[in-house]
Every structure is written in structure tokens, then in C-alpha cells.
Amino acid sequence: ALNWLAKEVTEPGLVVDAGSGPGVISCLFAETFPGARIVAVDGSKPLLERAADRAARQGVADRFDTLAGELPDVLGELDYPADLLWASRSVHHLGDQSAALAACAARLAPGGTLAVVEGGLPARFLPRDIGIGRPGLQA
């Protein structure tokens, strides 16, 4: 996904990782976009402290910030609109997901990109022996 985004979003000024957790992806964005300012956003201050520590260890702390608060309202505290706003496995935690996505889109610079990654329904499998035929039909 990062390789694809690097081709779609060239030279972003601000990349926001909404729901960043400990900043693993945030730091990958710092590596992918060496000229961008990265902001890790999360509701957990301890996780944001880990993100900041990770950024320092990787030598990108000079262009790495954190922002603590509840999504999507906290995005209003950004200094300027994002060229790329990434939300990975965070939107499903929000009450009104449609309103949250609209709020994320509202924080984009003109021509900015909103990238949302969510999972689907949990995987379901047939039992090994479904009572007919040979056991292991699924395999």
C-alpha cells in the first residue's frame, strides 16, 4: 500500500496517520516520504509516546509530531490540511463512521488523498467433517 501511495501522492507536505497506535506505519511513512512532516494521531497517550520514541530511534523525530485525542474531532487541531490522511483499522471504532470519513476528508488539502484500510467480516470456515462426503472437503 505504501509503494502504491508513493506513486499516487508525490512529495506530500503533511501525512497524517489517524489511529496510529505505536507509530509503526507512521514511521514507515516517514521513510517513504522523506520530505514530509508526519503526524501520528491516536486517543492513547502511552501509544503516542511509543510512536515518538520509535521516530527518535529511526532518526525522523525532527519532522514527526503526535496529536492525542478522539477521532475525528482531534483532526481539527492540525496546523494545516493533510496531503495524505491514512486511517488503518481505526474507522470501525468510531460511532458514526460516515460522519468520521467526511470529517477526515474535510481535513485534506485540495487534491489530497484519504486512504482507508479496514477489514471485512471475520473469517469463517467449515468444520473438517461436515457430516457428508469425505472429511476435509474445505481443503
Side-chain angles (χ1 to χ4, degrees), residues 20-23 40-53 66-70 74 77:
S20 66
V41 180
D42 203 275
S44 170
K45 288 182 181 181
L47 287 178
L48 289 175
E49 289 171 8
R50 291 178 64 187
D53 289 345
T66 61
L67 182 59
E70 294 302 315
V74 71
E77 296 179 29

Side-chain angles (χ1 to χ4, degrees), residues 61-103:
D62 60 327
R63 55 190 181 88
F64 190 94
D65 292 307
T66 61
L67 182 59
E70 294 302 315
L71 291 169
D73 297 335
V74 71
L75 297 175
E77 296 179 29
L78 293 170
D79 293 337
Y80 52 92
D83 298 298
L84 172 59
L85 196 150
W86 169 269
S88 177
R89 303 195 182 274
S90 57
V91 175
H92 71 273
H93 291 290
L94 307 177
D96 187 343
Q97 295 164 1
S98 294
L101 289 173

Side-chain angles (χ1 to χ4, degrees), residues 1-69:
L2 292 179
N3 289 335
W4 180 81
L5 282 169
K7 293 175 188 168
E8 296 295 315
V9 182
T10 56
E11 300 183 29
L14 175 62
V15 175
V16 175
D17 183 0
S20 66
V24 174
I25 300 297
S26 305
C27 287
L28 287 174
F29 275 122
E31 180 182 315
T32 302
F33 300 110
R37 178 176 159 227
I38 311 297
V39 177
V41 180
D42 203 275
S44 170
K45 288 182 181 181
L47 287 178
L48 289 175
E49 289 171 8
R50 291 178 64 187
D53 289 345
R54 180 183 311 277
R57 285 192 313 272
Q58 294 184 3
V60 296
D62 60 327
R63 55 190 181 88
F64 190 94
D65 292 307
T66 61
L67 182 59

